[in-house]
DNA sequence: ACTGAAAGACGTCGAAT
DNA sequence: ATTCGACGTCTTTCAGT
């Protein structure tokens, strides 16, 4: 009964999956390109894409930028615990975290920590400032453990289908 | 002197940054839309976008799919250590990991573990099979520690600019 | 559900300021 | 570096199968 699930549920066939796979690798393929690859004319492909958008399978189209070129070449994972686990304190933490633009991902996790943050900054100095000025200003953080990314093997936003 | 840095280095102005910000939120904005938002006509905006693509600031355009709808609603972080840290064993591990479609991200990290993996699967059963059949088949893994995502607070592919 | 064609919008480029 | 204008291509729709 969640608010996000109010899309129509539809059946996808093999062609739909092929279209989704191609679009999550290159969203600027034209309908014509897609049509050629699935051996159809443009009309059914156009209608399938619209169907997939309206049904919520395709949530958005985004440009992938180069973090390093934009001076955000240091990726840090920060695992955080809260001092208390009431809903109110959790909600406040979430609200505070969402205001920090350096935090590009935040998940509530199982295990020793409560939250996992992925942070993008320019360098160590900027990360130090982030921890001291921004993370340090958030209430009810019990502990924070930083892990630094040394090398990127694979970084995809694609869903494995 | 890295291989990836062979793009021309150019200076970006405020308008370029505004265009990048908009495109990483909605890549299907038309040149016309962008032009209206930055108070220019289409031609300079078109040329700026092409410039940003050629200079490597924009690496790609992708469709963002709904993982839950596509039956990949369980996200798991898996921290892995290798038994030995030679370049050869590391390279083989990387090669093996890249062949697993469930692994959507893989980073070489500092700290207690060597690699961080983000994995998307349908449910716990599928994750169990992934660990037993796929991860378990990879040589030279010393230990693997799984953390399960219980809730998504923020999940963006955007670079904070 | 697909094909083919037709209309309109947009991307794309040249000339000009 | 931007505007204007023209052309080609793509998106989008519709009649027909």
């Amino acid at each position: 009964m969640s608010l996000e699930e109010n899309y129509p549920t539809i059946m996808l066939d093999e062609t739909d999956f092929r279209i989704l796979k191609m679009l999550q690798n290159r969203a600027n393929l034209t309908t014509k390109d897609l049509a050629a690859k699935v051996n159809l004319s443009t009309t059914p492909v156009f209608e399938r894409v619209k169907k997939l958008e309206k049904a919520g399978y395709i949530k958005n189209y985004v440009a992938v930028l180069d973090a390093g070129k934009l001076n955000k070449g240091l990726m840090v994972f920060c695992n955080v615990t809260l001092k208390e686990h009431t809903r109110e304190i959790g909600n406040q933490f979430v609200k505070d975290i969402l205001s920090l633009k350096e935090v590009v991902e935040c998940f509530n996790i199982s295990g020793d920590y409560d939250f996992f943050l992925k942070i993008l900054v320019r360098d160590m100095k900027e990360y130090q400032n982030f921890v001291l000025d921004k993370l340090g200003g958030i209430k009810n953080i019990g502990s924070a453990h930083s892990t630094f990314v040394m090398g990127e093997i694979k970084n995809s936003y694609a869903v494995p289908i």
Side-chain angles (χ1 to χ4, degrees), chain A:
Chain A
M1 210 77 105
S2 86
L3 286 169
E4 295 86 33
E5 295 283 341
N6 289 334
Y7 292 99
T9 302
I10 54 176
M11 272 301 237
L12 303 189
D13 63 12
E14 186 57 36
T15 303
D16 291 319
F17 282 112
R18 289 182 65 191
I19 291 172
L20 288 176
K21 273 188 224 180
M22 290 190 282
L23 285 179
Q24 75 173 343
N25 284 323
R26 290 188 52 80
N28 49 348
L29 289 174
T30 66
T31 308
K32 214 178 172 185
D33 295 333
L34 292 172
K37 298 223 185 195
V38 298
N39 295 313
L40 288 174
S41 58
T42 63
T43 307
V45 173
F46 173 75
E47 283 167 352
R48 280 168 184 267
V49 171
K50 291 299 159 198
K51 173 190 74 179
L52 292 167
E53 289 170 356
K54 282 179 181 95
Y57 289 92
I58 299 173
K59 294 200 289 185
N60 195 10
Y61 298 93
V62 302
V64 180
L65 307 188
D66 187 309
K69 276 193 183 298
L70 293 163
N71 293 321
K72 300 292 166 184
L74 178 60
M75 186 184 290
V76 188
F77 303 143
C78 187
N79 285 282
V80 170
T81 60
L82 295 188
K83 284 182 184 159
E84 295 178 63
H85 297 84
T86 66
R87 189 171 284 274
E88 196 172 349
I89 284 178
N91 286 345
Q92 184 59 47
F93 173 79
V94 165
K95 203 181 142 197
D96 293 338
I97 282 297
L98 289 177
S99 73
L100 305 180
K101 69 173 171 38
E102 294 88 348
V103 177
V104 296
E105 297 183 26
C106 176
F107 299 100
N108 191 356
I109 56 173
S110 71
D112 295 335
Y113 293 92
D114 297 317
F115 291 94
F116 169 94
L117 314 179
K118 183 193 278 184
I119 293 148
L120 285 183
V121 287
R122 180 193 182 97
D123 50 26
M124 269 299 178
K125 191 177 169 193
E126 196 174 299
Y127 185 65
Q128 184 186 27
N129 288 332
F130 169 81
V131 171
L132 295 176
D133 299 337
K134 304 203 174 173
L135 211 57
I138 295 183
K139 288 285 176 195
N140 291 303
I141 290 184
S143 66
H145 184 92
S146 300
T147 300
F148 298 95
V149 170
M150 301 193 299
E152 176 179 312
I153 314 302
K154 180 178 184 179
N155 189 6
S156 161
Y157 208 49
V159 176
I161 49 178

